[in-house]
Amino acid sequence: MANATAEIAVPAPKSRRPRVLPDVVRAIASEILSGSYPVGSTLPSENDLCAEHGVSRTVIREALKTLAAKGLVLSRPRIGTVVCERDNWNIIDPQVLEWHAPNSIDPALFDSILETRRAIEPLVAELAASRASLQEIADLEAAWKGMEAAGSDVGRFARSDAVFHQVLYGACHNPIFRQIGGLIETALNFALEATANSVDRRDEAVKVHFGVVEALRMRDGAAARKAANEILDLAARDLARAKNQHKQD
């Protein structure tokens, strides 16, 4: 009979593969987004990219496939991998936004986000005034309280602001608007954090956001639309300040 006290062999834990592919994708994408590889230019050959990043051709090929799926590059026979026109880039894809270097996002993107919000957010708020559940109104108020309590904590303020808008888009109970809200969510978060950093006093933002909460509580669609427009007017002002601050830096 085997010794009952004999030690049981435990297999050694498998070592985790390093995150080579994501790092290579990020590195090449950052060079494209920063303009180091301009639109219309051809990327270095696979062999050159292998040497530059110290990886195999398989990794480089997978990286280029990922970038192609995001609209950043296009492989052309006998030419190579070409950087696509900016209009083809999936600019609000969460990964594409994360691949930007800090403070390198085109200010025009923030303008486009604001235009999109102006087109749909007042209607979203108006619809939410009649359709939001009591729980959604409570969630909206909780997000507003997070903004109010943030004080000088820019990160907490921006996160609470983002949650506020996520709840609002969901509370309109229009699946198309809800998906649009989800589509611009990451880009909106970037915009909110950028403008939050440029605002000295956030009590105005807290006040106008509370107007939406109150309008939903009172089931007043006109008041909800008005409050949403006030939020957007404030966002436009803060965006202009953020741009000026960026130029000065």
Side-chain angles (χ1 to χ4, degrees):
M1 190 170 104
N3 188 346
T5 60
E7 292 185 1
I8 300 174
V10 178
K14 295 181 180 179
S15 60
R16 294 184 178 179
R17 294 183 63 188
R19 290 174 53 82
V20 173
L21 178 58
D23 290 343
V24 173
V25 172
R26 179 186 294 274
I28 299 174
S30 296
E31 291 187 276
I32 294 171
L33 296 168
S34 67
S36 296
Y37 294 137
V39 168
S41 67
T42 303
L43 297 187
S45 68
E46 287 185 2
N47 287 338
D48 288 341
L49 288 172
C50 289
E52 180 180 347
H53 297 282
V55 296
S56 67
R57 293 184 70 179
T58 300
V59 172
I60 292 299
R61 286 173 179 171
E62 288 300 316
L64 295 178
K65 284 181 183 178
T66 300
L67 297 175
K70 307 294 185 182
L72 297 181
V73 299
L74 179 66
S75 180
R76 291 181 174 172
R78 298 187 297 278
I79 294 177
T81 302
V82 178
V83 179
C84 295
E85 295 290 334
R86 287 178 176 269
D87 287 347
N88 294 328
W89 297 359
N90 296 344
I91 56 173
I92 59 175
D93 181 282
Q95 280 190 309
V96 175
L97 284 168
E98 289 169 6
W99 290 334
H100 281 82
N103 301 319
S104 70
I105 297 179
D106 186 353
L109 175 58
F110 292 139
D111 290 331
S112 298
I113 296 168
L114 184 59
E115 281 184 2
T116 303
R117 292 178 63 195
R118 281 197 182 279
I120 64 176
E121 210 161 286
L123 177 56
V124 164
E126 183 177 353
L127 294 173
S130 61
R131 299 176 181 178
S133 67
L134 293 179
Q135 183 60 56
E136 286 168 334
I137 295 173
D139 291 343
L140 196 69
E141 184 173 11
W144 169 78
K145 286 181 178 178
M147 295 173 64
E148 184 183 39
S152 60
D153 188 337
V154 173
R156 181 180 178 185
F157 182 89
R159 287 191 298 273
S160 298
D161 197 355
V163 171
F164 184 98
H165 289 89
Q166 291 165 16
V167 174
L168 182 63
Y169 274 80
C172 79
H173 292 272
N174 179 309
I176 305 300
F177 286 155
R178 188 193 299 256
Q179 287 194 23
I180 291 173
L183 186 64
I184 68 172
E185 179 180 333
T186 303
L188 177 58
N189 291 350
F190 270 82
L192 292 174
E193 188 159 354
T195 54
N197 274 299
S198 71
V199 181
D200 296 325
R201 291 170 56 84
R202 300 183 182 87
D203 52 346
E204 289 179 276
V206 170
K207 181 180 178 181
V208 295
H209 280 73
F210 183 68
V212 174
V213 177
E214 277 292 279
L216 264 62
R217 202 181 272 153
M218 300 300 294
R219 303 296 183 182
D220 189 335
R225 178 182 280 272
K226 180 176 181 292
N229 276 313
E230 289 175 349
I231 289 174
L232 294 167
D233 288 342
L234 198 59
R237 188 200 68 182
D238 294 342
L239 180 59
R241 288 181 178 176
K243 285 180 180 178
N244 290 333
Q245 186 175 12
H246 181 70
K247 288 178 182 178
Q248 292 171 5
D249 294 342

